[in-house]
Amino acid sequence: AVQLNGQWVFLDATDPHCIFGYPTDAIQNKQALIAINENKYELVRVSTMPATASKVIDSTFIHITPEGIKGNMVVHYNGYFGNELYDALMYKDSVGTADYVKYKLGKASNKFKVSTYEIIKANPLLREAIIKGNYEVPDYVKRAGNEIFINLNLEKFFNGPGIDTAKRMMALENDFHYTIEQYHILHLPQGYTASYIPKNFKAENDLLRFEITYEQKNNQVICHHTIQVKYILLQPNRFTDWNNIVKQLVAQYKEQVVLTKN
């Protein structure tokens, strides 16, 4: 540890991709005993990085095809997300890298396929990276008569029944605070208009914040989804608070855009 401008900065020689100024995620909010000299010690609390320090920004462009959907995507990673990506790619061969990219980009359904991709290590010092890819997902949209139904929440981060408060007695751990922003941009097929676009919705407590907005611009419908997780250790007495806000999010995941043929 070194003190800079009155603040302790923790370095970890066991993490080859640790970002300077970020403590290793596993020691966030832990107590650290620092030897000032042979006679003096200081007990300090390791800082927790805010949710804005680790972000994923995902722009996915969607075209409806007779088989399903296809398009391209550009995903930016920084903070602990970038650190994880650099660590994961360090020892992977071409096959392992391709599998990892599919895992990172995968959304919509388990039929998701990546045809081509590019990994850009935009700033190795700050562990910033970008993955670009072309994808397709068969059988994703639903058709009925002259209407097409598509759910623009392609990636559902919390989509289960929540924490079982009757069975789980131990705290739930999260590696770090984070923010994910997704822009799912649907190009309207020729001859179709958007006859139904879901309403915007947001909710927040001290554990989780999310907001889903929809906007039509010319021949595009844009779904902007922001999610921010703000806990490291979720204690059992907060499970109900977590479940209540996640329940609202899961309800929004069911919303679909309806396209009608002119």
Side-chain angles (χ1 to χ4, degrees):
V2 60
Q3 196 169 43
L4 297 175
N5 300 320
Q7 300 291 324
W8 286 106
V9 176
F10 293 86
L11 309 176
D12 187 350
T14 67
D15 185 351
H17 295 125
C18 187
I19 305 167
F20 183 79
Y22 285 58
T24 305
D25 61 45
I27 67 169
Q28 290 182 103
N29 204 39
K30 302 288 196 307
Q31 288 184 316
L33 185 64
I34 301 172
I36 307 301
N37 55 46
E38 61 181 10
N39 298 314
K40 183 180 178 182
Y41 296 83
E42 186 172 340
L43 185 65
V44 302
R45 180 74 64 178
V46 180
S47 62
T48 298
M49 299 303 293
T52 53
S54 297
K55 296 183 72 173
V56 173
I57 301 177
D58 174 344
S59 298
T60 297
F61 299 86
I62 306 163
H63 296 268
I64 295 175
T65 69
E67 294 77 25
I69 60 173
K70 70 175 184 179
N72 65 290
M73 53 203 307
V74 181
V75 188
H76 296 249
Y77 304 86
N78 72 5
Y80 289 122
F81 284 119
N83 195 56
E84 287 180 343
L85 188 144
Y86 276 77
D87 281 345
L89 293 176
M90 190 160 50
Y91 300 114
K92 292 189 183 300
D93 59 14
S94 59
V95 174
T97 298
D99 289 341
Y100 181 73
V101 168
K102 181 181 178 181
Y103 160 73
K104 293 296 287 183
L105 299 185
K107 58 178 63 179
S109 83
N110 57 8
K111 297 181 180 180
F112 179 92
K113 301 175 184 177
V114 178
S115 54
T116 60
Y117 68 86
E118 178 186 8
I119 300 172
I120 303 169
K121 294 183 177 180
N123 190 329
L125 185 63
L126 296 178
R127 309 299 181 249
E128 295 175 356
I130 302 167
I131 301 180
K132 298 181 178 181
N134 294 301
Y135 74 93
E136 60 180 291
V137 187
D139 305 321
Y140 184 69
V141 301
K142 298 185 183 299
R143 300 174 187 268
N146 64 345
E147 292 182 322
I148 297 175
F149 300 83
I150 181 168
N151 189 330
L152 292 184
N153 296 291
L154 271 62
E155 192 165 6
K156 301 173 177 65
F157 299 101
F158 306 105
N159 198 29
I163 302 169
D164 189 336
T165 57
K167 293 183 178 180
R168 187 175 182 97
M169 303 299 171
M170 301 296 291
L172 189 66
E173 188 173 6
N174 181 46
D175 289 337
F176 51 86
H177 296 182
Y178 62 83
T179 300
I180 297 175
E181 282 196 66
Q182 293 187 319
Y183 297 86
H184 291 152
I185 303 160
L186 171 66
H187 293 264
L188 298 181
Q190 187 173 1
Y192 282 83
T193 57
S195 55
Y196 175 75
I197 296 176
K199 295 179 180 179
N200 299 338
F201 191 88
K202 62 181 177 180
E204 181 175 9
N205 61 19
D206 60 320
L207 304 172
L208 175 68
R209 171 184 173 269
F210 76 89
E211 182 174 8
I212 303 175
T213 65
Y214 295 85
E215 179 184 11
Q216 182 169 359
K217 285 187 175 181
N218 300 321
N219 68 331
Q220 296 178 335
V221 176
I222 303 168
C223 175
H224 179 203
H225 182 194
T226 301
I227 191 161
Q228 201 167 71
V229 175
K230 302 180 287 184
Y231 77 88
I232 294 293
L233 203 61
L234 184 61
Q235 298 294 344
N237 65 347
R238 301 301 310 278
F239 286 172
T240 299
D241 296 328
W242 175 262
N243 285 346
N244 287 341
I245 193 168
V246 167
K247 184 178 180 180
Q248 297 178 64
L249 176 58
V250 170
Q252 294 304 310
Y253 281 157
K254 298 175 183 178
E255 290 285 351
Q256 299 191 66
V257 172
V258 181
L259 309 180
T260 302
K261 194 170 185 178
N262 297 335

